Amino acid sequence: MSLLSIQDLTLSIGTYPILHDVSLTVAPGEIVAITGESGSGKSMTAFATMGLLPARATTTGRILLEGTDLLALSEAEMCTVRGRQIGMVFQEPMTALNPVQTIGAQVAETIRIHEGVSKDEALAQARAMLNRVGLPEDRFPLSRYPHELSGGQRQRVVIAMAIALRPKLLIADEPTTALDVTTQAHILDLLKDLTQDFGMGLLMITHDLAVVADMADRIVVMQHGRVVETGKTADLFRAMQHPYTKALFAASAHKVTLPVAPLPQALLEVKNVIRSYRQPRKGLFGPRPEIQAVKNVSFTLNRGERLGLVGESGCGKSTLTRAILGLEPVQSGSITMRGAPVWTDSRANLDVRRQMQVVFQDPYGSFNPRHRVRRLIAEPFHLLRDPPTGEARAQKIAQALTDVGLTPGDADKYIHEFSGGQRQRIAIARALINDPALIVFDEAVSALDVSVRAQVLDLLADLCRKRPLSYLFISHDLSVVRTITDRVMVMQAGEIVEQGPTEQVFSDPQHPYTRTLLAAAPQLPDMKKTADAS
């Protein structure tokens, strides 16, 4: 008998249909991946299983957990199921954790609620679970708070909370989207090991086929609230039947062709930069230790060049980027744009700052939702001494929207009226409107669906053909960096350990750390080899 059996599940919120006759099964010890784009119904299927639906939601069909219909249970009865029989790992660990409670207290909370044991016993069990997920006591005491941990470590705490009572079913909703490749590989390996050790079923929700290619036993593909294809992972990759599945695979493996970069002519020069931070004293009269986030970094970005920067979380990418943008000073070294320093007289040089723009990871969070698009993308005009006004301003806004594949009429809309991919296009339009010398793309496509990501990458390649676009592309997705940059730098512990032409670095890495990153990156199976093997 299946552990979880979803049978003909139909879900509506008010009069709006969300899910249509969804059916799938998960056996004990089995890993089943649900994949599809945003809005396909993946997360709503998980929330229905957890009994976490909105108030106006109505359902038909059955969700059986070892023969018990979860849809027929009351909220009080579901409270006994959540945590004990079903655990859930959410996408963003920082929002899933309470910032004012220690990690020990948060893992122990589930145990105390369901088991009724003493605080000391619950903490002892919490300690055992944190040890099991790779957070040993000597390095990660129960007294630590979430902000003292990295993203991957916080995700391990969330996993410890979800498995504290060894549930029969674990649901993981995009658990690695915001993580770098090595941390992602560790989390995926951990989930796989836990499934084998505990014999629990794992329902993995993701938009990236490459993430689950070597992990899932079966894959369920959803589109517009329907299951369009399902099968064993190897069989599905070998013989995809539905056009949507084929489109997802093609988008995951999408590559763009950049125009040839012009002859080298220095635009941004970073020379021997060191950025350090002073830490709190460990004793009343002891010295304040320093930690070097950026260690003697040097590189040149040329006009019309597309340069990539990769490395794990905490390697110094963000610190280096803030220094380049003039958002914080450096202790030694120099950063110049077209020969002019980013910092002069202990303050940011605004003449240089106005030549640079940024596209952030979360487009919605980088916009003020109260303003219309025409005001949002015109914000860089405030940097200009003589900003355009009247008709000239309107034409600039219309041209920027047209350049990114939108229409001038979109200027009158609000940001919530657009999809995630469209919002990122608007963010790119805002970055382009002043014709900056340099654009910094900071994880600009990591949160997007694979098909939307492919569209944004095509847009960047097209923009490079239309104008001499120079950018620094920061990402943990090595497949994206490989297709969208001319050169790449690999950063580890504050140092650039390898740099060179992108294809050369990826095909023949020289540094052990580069080889580690490439080995950890998820790979889609080679369709030709898969077909030949069959």
Side-chain angles (χ1 to χ4, degrees), residues 320-495:
L320 177 61
T321 303
R322 288 195 298 271
I324 290 171
L325 294 170
L327 298 178
E328 56 182 63
V330 297
Q331 275 70 37
S332 65
S334 64
I335 303 174
T336 58
M337 169 77 75
R338 291 173 171 168
V342 171
W343 275 80
T344 55
D345 300 326
S346 300
R347 64 176 59 189
N349 186 342
L350 293 182
D351 287 334
V352 174
R353 277 270 295 274
R354 62 174 53 98
Q355 299 177 49
M356 296 184 280
Q357 289 293 332
V358 189
V359 178
F360 297 99
Q361 176 177 353
D362 179 10
Y364 191 73
S366 65
F367 289 121
N368 188 330
R370 297 179 299 170
H371 299 316
R372 297 181 189 272
V373 166
R374 67 170 63 258
R375 176 168 174 176
L376 295 176
I377 68 171
E379 286 175 348
F381 288 155
H382 296 297
L383 296 171
L384 304 179
R385 291 192 175 92
D386 185 23
T389 58
E391 184 60 28
R393 179 187 177 97
Q395 289 180 359
K396 274 279 211 180
I397 293 170
Q399 184 61 50
L401 289 170
T402 302
D403 284 347
V404 298
L406 299 174
T407 66
D410 290 325
D412 294 318
K413 297 179 181 179
Y414 290 95
I415 198 68
H416 70 267
E417 299 180 71
F418 297 91
S419 67
Q422 290 171 328
R423 289 171 190 160
Q424 201 61 292
R425 288 174 182 264
I426 294 170
I428 295 172
R430 178 174 62 179
L432 291 172
I433 201 164
N434 274 359
D435 295 316
L438 173 67
I439 298 178
V440 176
F441 291 94
D442 188 4
E443 298 285 5
V445 298
S446 63
L448 302 178
D449 293 326
V450 288
S451 58
V452 178
R453 181 182 69 189
Q455 294 168 13
V456 172
L457 295 180
D458 284 338
L459 169 64
L460 291 181
D462 186 52
L463 289 171
C464 288
R465 286 186 281 270
K466 291 179 178 177
R467 60 177 75 192
L469 198 61
S470 307
Y471 57 72
L472 177 64
F473 197 95
I474 304 166
S475 178
H476 63 253
D477 192 328
L478 301 186
S479 64
V480 170
V481 173
R482 187 169 192 167
T483 190
I484 204 67
T485 62
D486 305 305
R487 285 194 305 124
V488 65
M489 302 185 299
V490 182
M491 197 168 190
Q492 180 190 28
E495 298 179 278

Side-chain angles (χ1 to χ4, degrees), residues 15-33:
T15 59
Y16 191 81
I18 304 294
L19 300 178
H20 309 271
D21 299 319
V22 172
S23 296
L24 62 90
T25 61
V26 181
E30 184 182 32
I31 300 175
V32 176

Side-chain angles (χ1 to χ4, degrees), residues 113-365:
I113 289 173
H114 288 282
E115 298 288 280
V117 298
S118 67
K119 181 179 179 181
D120 289 342
E121 176 61 24
L123 287 173
Q125 293 184 40
R127 180 69 270 163
M129 280 301 163
L130 288 170
N131 289 338
R132 179 60 188 83
V133 299
L135 298 177
E137 185 172 9
D138 58 335
R139 294 176 53 208
F140 303 96
L142 297 178
S143 57
R144 284 235 183 155
Y145 287 88
H147 71 270
E148 299 179 277
L149 306 177
S150 69
Q153 291 163 356
R154 287 194 288 262
Q155 194 63 291
R156 289 174 184 266
V157 174
V158 173
I159 293 172
M161 292 169 61
I163 66 166
L165 295 175
R166 299 198 174 199
K168 299 170 183 177
L169 174 68
L170 181 65
I171 301 174
D173 189 0
E174 300 280 9
T176 62
T177 297
L179 304 179
D180 56 62
V181 289
T182 52
T183 305
Q184 174 178 262
H186 293 155
I187 294 298
L188 294 177
D189 287 343
L190 171 61
L191 290 172
K192 195 170 184 177
D193 290 344
L194 290 170
T195 303
Q196 294 174 349
D197 292 350
F198 294 173
M200 64 184 178
L202 174 60
L203 188 61
M204 178 92 171
I205 297 170
T206 180
H207 63 257
D208 196 337
L209 285 170
V211 167
V212 294
D214 292 328
M215 180 181 179
D217 300 304
R218 288 189 297 115
I219 292 180
V220 177
V221 183
M222 292 189 68
Q223 181 188 29
H224 302 318
R226 290 183 169 86
V227 174
V228 297
E229 188 165 1
T230 184
K232 292 183 178 180
T233 301
D235 295 341
L236 186 138
F237 278 119
R238 183 175 60 250
M240 299 177 189
Q241 301 298 316
H242 198 277
Y244 180 69
T245 308
K246 296 176 182 178
L248 279 182
F249 186 92
S252 298
H254 186 70
K255 293 180 173 60
V256 302
T257 302
L258 294 174
V260 177
L263 294 175
Q265 185 179 8
L267 174 66
L268 174 73
E269 293 183 278
V270 177
K271 296 181 179 179
N272 307 118
V273 165
I274 294 176
R275 177 63 170 130
S276 59
Y277 298 95
R278 300 187 74 181
Q279 302 298 299
R281 290 185 178 89
K282 295 185 178 179
L284 184 59
F285 301 107
R288 294 184 64 182
E290 285 194 352
I291 180 170
Q292 280 197 349
V294 177
K295 305 173 184 177
N296 202 35
V297 167
S298 298
F299 67 89
T300 298
L301 194 159
N302 295 306
R303 284 185 172 90
E305 184 181 35
R306 289 76 57 161
L307 179 63
L309 178 61
V310 301
E312 294 173 294
S313 297
C315 71
K317 302 190 302 295
S318 296
T319 301
L320 177 61
T321 303
R322 288 195 298 271
I324 290 171
L325 294 170
L327 298 178
E328 56 182 63
V330 297
Q331 275 70 37
S332 65
S334 64
I335 303 174
T336 58
M337 169 77 75
R338 291 173 171 168
V342 171
W343 275 80
T344 55
D345 300 326
S346 300
R347 64 176 59 189
N349 186 342
L350 293 182
D351 287 334
V352 174
R353 277 270 295 274
R354 62 174 53 98
Q355 299 177 49
M356 296 184 280
Q357 289 293 332
V358 189
V359 178
F360 297 99
Q361 176 177 353
D362 179 10
Y364 191 73

Side-chain angles (χ1 to χ4, degrees), residues 78-142:
M78 278 303 300
C79 284
T80 65
V81 172
R82 299 188 200 105
R84 180 184 291 277
Q85 298 183 60
I86 306 177
M88 188 160 185
V89 179
F90 296 93
Q91 177 175 350
E92 178 46 62
M94 196 58 185
T95 58
L97 294 171
N98 188 331
V100 299
Q101 285 194 353
T102 64
I103 61 173
Q106 295 188 65
V107 178
E109 181 180 24
T110 299
I111 300 170
R112 295 191 69 187
I113 289 173
H114 288 282
E115 298 288 280
V117 298
S118 67
K119 181 179 179 181
D120 289 342
E121 176 61 24
L123 287 173
Q125 293 184 40
R127 180 69 270 163
M129 280 301 163
L130 288 170
N131 289 338
R132 179 60 188 83
V133 299
L135 298 177
E137 185 172 9
D138 58 335
R139 294 176 53 208
F140 303 96
L142 297 178

